[in-house]
Amino acid sequence: MTLIRAFIAITLPSEIKTELESTIQKFKAQRVKGVRWVAVENIHLTLRFLGDTSPADLEQLTKLLQAESTAYHSFSAEVASVGAFPNSKRPRVIWVGFQAPAVLNELVASIESAARSIGIQPEERGFSPHLTLGRVKKDASPADILNLGAALKSIDVGSLDGFSVTHFTLFRSDLRPQGPLYSVLAQFNLQAAVH
């Protein structure tokens, strides 16, 4: 049986991706080295990484999530602030923050519950909404790290445009030497927001 590497995520509108591209360019303008930047078209908000999953489990999960998604209304989100995990002195992942109402955490808990119900191992880390811009290479020099730390302090993205989250998506991820290729397996629409 062939397993499928999969994850569930919120995709971003093109205008947000354009702003994220300009944020990456700010780092490059400060000659930041030792970072593998994410292709802008691949930047998304991961709600749940599933890893290698059987097609049967993905089919079952899709049915559960189709039913779950109708319990949630679309909501507004905002992309703001730049930072690093675990911190700017020892950066491993460069990110931009993702701000959304409490319904986002409720949605993530619901996805987690659905994943567990079909036997997918529980997520070990708590949910921390962020958009990964880049990952620090293992061979990054101490000078690269210092320069990156300085850039993190000086680059202010402020608050980028807000946007409406109307759906979330189940993706397949195929790893290739030139970077991952993501393809949509299923899309889950949220109810229209009540005004």
Side-chain angles (χ1 to χ4, degrees):
M1 177 180 58
T2 309
L3 296 177
I4 296 170
R5 182 181 162 90
F7 64 92
I8 298 164
I10 290 173
T11 54
L12 305 170
S14 56
E15 54 273 16
I16 295 290
K17 289 184 178 182
T18 300
E19 294 191 37
L20 294 173
E21 175 66 48
S22 78
T23 300
I24 290 172
Q25 292 309 322
K26 288 177 187 175
F27 279 99
K28 290 180 176 177
Q30 293 202 20
R31 293 184 168 65
V32 168
K33 293 187 179 104
V35 176
R36 198 172 51 252
W37 298 105
V38 175
V40 173
E41 63 274 11
N42 282 350
I43 297 177
H44 56 267
L45 175 70
T46 302
L47 300 177
R48 180 62 156 89
F49 179 71
L50 301 168
D52 294 331
T53 312
S54 75
D57 282 350
L58 288 175
E59 199 174 313
Q60 205 178 342
L61 184 61
T62 298
K63 286 183 182 141
L64 289 169
L65 294 178
Q66 292 289 11
E68 286 289 329
S69 65
T70 61
Y72 296 94
H73 287 94
S74 58
F75 55 89
S76 292
E78 201 173 86
V79 176
S81 72
V82 66
F85 292 134
N87 56 52
S88 61
K89 287 191 173 56
R90 294 184 300 113
R92 303 274 13 114
V93 172
I94 313 305
W95 52 259
V96 167
F98 189 95
Q99 297 168 342
V103 68
L104 175 62
N105 288 325
E106 293 165 21
L107 178 61
V108 168
S110 177
I111 291 168
E112 181 65 32
S113 174
R116 284 184 192 188
S117 76
I118 61 162
I120 293 174
Q121 288 298 309
E123 186 67 77
E124 289 172 14
R125 285 183 295 208
F127 178 63
S128 175
H130 68 281
L131 307 170
T132 299
L133 295 185
R135 292 178 179 83
V136 177
K137 295 176 184 173
K138 287 185 175 41
D139 63 355
S141 72
D144 291 340
I145 301 295
L146 272 175
N147 190 24
L148 175 55
L152 281 163
K153 287 192 181 85
S154 70
I155 293 173
D156 178 26
V157 296
S159 180
L160 306 181
D161 290 341
F163 65 99
S164 183
V165 176
T166 58
H167 65 276
F168 60 99
T169 308
L170 172 62
F171 283 99
R172 173 189 183 122
S173 171
D174 292 301
L175 300 178
R176 306 169 308 158
Q178 63 270 48
L181 176 67
Y182 300 148
S183 41
V184 174
L185 294 175
Q187 183 172 301
F188 310 97
N189 294 319
L190 305 174
Q191 286 190 47
V194 189
H195 292 292

